[in-house]
Each structure stands twice: as C-alpha cells, then as structure tokens.
Amino acid sequence: KNEVEQSPQNLTAQEGEFITINCSYSVGISALHWLQQHPGGGIVSLFMLSSGKKKHGRLIATINIQEKHSSLHITASHPRDSAVYICAALRPFYFGTGTSLTVIP
Amino acid sequence: NAGVTQTPKFRVLKTGQSMTLLCAQDMNHEYMYWYRQDPGMGLRLIHYSVGEGTTAKGEVPDGYNVSRLKKQNFLLGLESAAPSQTSVYFCASSLELGQPNQPQHFGDGTRLSIL
C-alpha cells in the first residue's frame, strides 16, 4: 500500500497541450511538496502547499485537504517540461513514484 | 551559492566494503535528510537530522549510520556494503520541517553500485 499515489505514471503530450498530474495521499500531512526531476537526475522543488493554490509561471498546483488530493497543472506545455514530477507528503515523509512526462515538439 | 553538495557523485564498491557519503549545505539549514531512490519506487527516507548533533531514523535506516557533527555537514555511512544498497542517494536540506514556505533543497545525487 502506497501512502502517496500519483497518476498517470507516464504521460506523453504534444507541445502546447494543457497537462494535469494527480496526487492522492492517505495520511495526514503538514504540507505537500511537488518536485521535478530532470533526466540528468537532479531534483528541484516546484511548490510546497498546505492549502489552496499556488502559481509559478506556467505551473499551477492545487490541493484539497478534505479530499486528500493535489494536482499539478502545466499550461502551454513545452519540450523542456519533459521530466519526472514527484509529489511528496511531508511530516510524515512519503513520496510518490513519479509521473514521467514527455512533451513532443 | 553552492546549495547542497554531495560527494562523491559515483562510486563502485565490493560487498563488505565500507564508505561514507558526504553532504554539505551552505544555506544554514537546520534540517538535513538522506534518501535513496530505486527504480519503480519513490524516494525513501533513510535518516534525517533536525539540527547539529541530532539524528533520527527514517523509513529504511537498516545498514546505514549517520552523523551531524557540524551543522553544514551530514554524513551517511555504509559499514558493510551489500548489493541491496545499490541505489542513487540524495541528500536534502531545509530551513524548517514540512512548512509550506520552506522547501527541501536537493543535491545532485550519488550513484552507488555494490558488486
């Protein structure tokens, strides 16, 4: 049983498409973290949120605490968005297995 | 500003050998973490530290030891390496623990192979 579930596991999109990655969790958390891992392996933080919605450029993250669900949206997707996106519940520490996104020109 | 630096980046060990992975951060963060990442599995927490001189077990601590003698450094040791410890190891740090405006900052990872 995974405390954090992501869907889909793999996603291929055409450049310009709107993308949604979903994350559901089964534990009580203090915050949810969205991370991006590029093919080279480095991991960068995109968002941390405990309620509502956050936006940074073409990326939007939302969270519904009651439903224990978060989504990461990418508007006007671009090939440079190709990466693995990971959601993580913090306190306690549980990570999803990631969504591998490929954006085709 | 270097952020989080892990050394070495790659290492191959034989079963039974020992080694230490070093993580250094220059952001004056209190919290530091060691994770392992295996194919098909999410990142799993090995050990973490809430401040200088403190350490705590994570989800998969067996076979590893850690030390935080200085605030900026967090060492991960394998006393007797086993093939099951072949993995990519990530170190991370944060100012606070699990607070929405205090994300974790990750190092570039260490690829460790145990033969």
Side-chain angles (χ1 to χ4, degrees):
Chain A
K1 174 184 175 293
N2 293 328
E3 286 76 9
V4 176
E5 298 274 3
Q6 286 185 238
S7 63
Q9 285 189 314
N10 297 285
L11 181 57
T12 300
Q14 292 289 332
E15 182 174 357
E17 284 187 6
F18 181 84
I19 290 164
T20 296
I21 299 170
N22 296 299
C23 176
S24 297
Y25 53 94
S26 59
V27 293
I29 64 171
S30 63
L32 190 109
H33 205 166
W34 280 102
L35 304 164
Q36 181 190 55
Q37 185 170 26
H38 277 281
I43 299 173
V44 296
S45 172
L46 297 176
F47 297 103
M48 281 185 75
L49 63 166
S50 59
S51 64
K53 174 181 174 179
K54 286 191 175 181
K55 184 177 189 292
H56 181 68
R58 295 180 293 104
L59 300 178
I60 303 167
T62 64
I63 189 167
N64 185 317
I65 297 295
Q66 286 73 29
E67 295 186 3
K68 295 187 175 178
H69 182 267
S70 177
S71 293
L72 177 68
H73 306 285
I74 304 175
T75 62
S77 59
H78 190 275
R80 64 174 174 267
D81 297 325
S82 298
V84 176
Y85 293 84
I86 301 168
C87 73
L90 298 179
R91 300 194 80 174
F93 297 84
Y94 295 112
F95 289 76
T97 55
T99 295
S100 179
L101 171 65
T102 301
V103 181
I104 300 170
Chain B
N1 192 343
V4 178
T5 303
Q6 291 184 232
T7 53
K9 296 192 185 308
F10 304 94
R11 186 73 185 268
V12 178
L13 290 178
K14 294 181 179 178
T15 298
Q17 286 185 318
S18 63
M19 79 161 296
T20 299
L21 280 65
L22 171 63
C23 177
Q25 53 93 5
D26 61 2
M27 296 172 282
N28 203 33
H29 284 171
E30 289 292 337
Y31 300 88
M32 297 187 74
Y33 318 84
W34 274 108
Y35 298 97
R36 60 178 290 172
Q37 186 178 42
D38 301 294
M41 305 185 74
L43 287 157
R44 291 181 293 169
L45 182 65
I46 303 171
H47 286 279
Y48 65 103
S49 169
V50 301
E52 182 178 321
T54 73
T55 63
K57 293 180 179 180
E59 182 185 356
V60 288
D62 294 341
Y64 305 96
N65 57 75
V66 288
S67 65
R68 182 104 182 263
L69 298 179
K70 293 183 178 180
K71 186 176 183 179
Q72 63 268 33
N73 296 335
F74 194 28
L75 305 179
L76 178 70
L78 287 73
E79 288 189 349
S80 180
S84 60
Q85 294 177 304
T86 293
S87 187
V88 180
Y89 292 85
F90 286 95
C91 176
S93 71
S94 66
L95 192 59
E96 297 285 344
L97 183 59
Q99 296 303 311
N101 294 321
Q102 301 296 339
Q104 293 188 23
H105 297 257
F106 285 81
D108 291 335
T110 295
R111 291 187 178 274
L112 183 60
S113 294
I114 316 295
L115 305 178

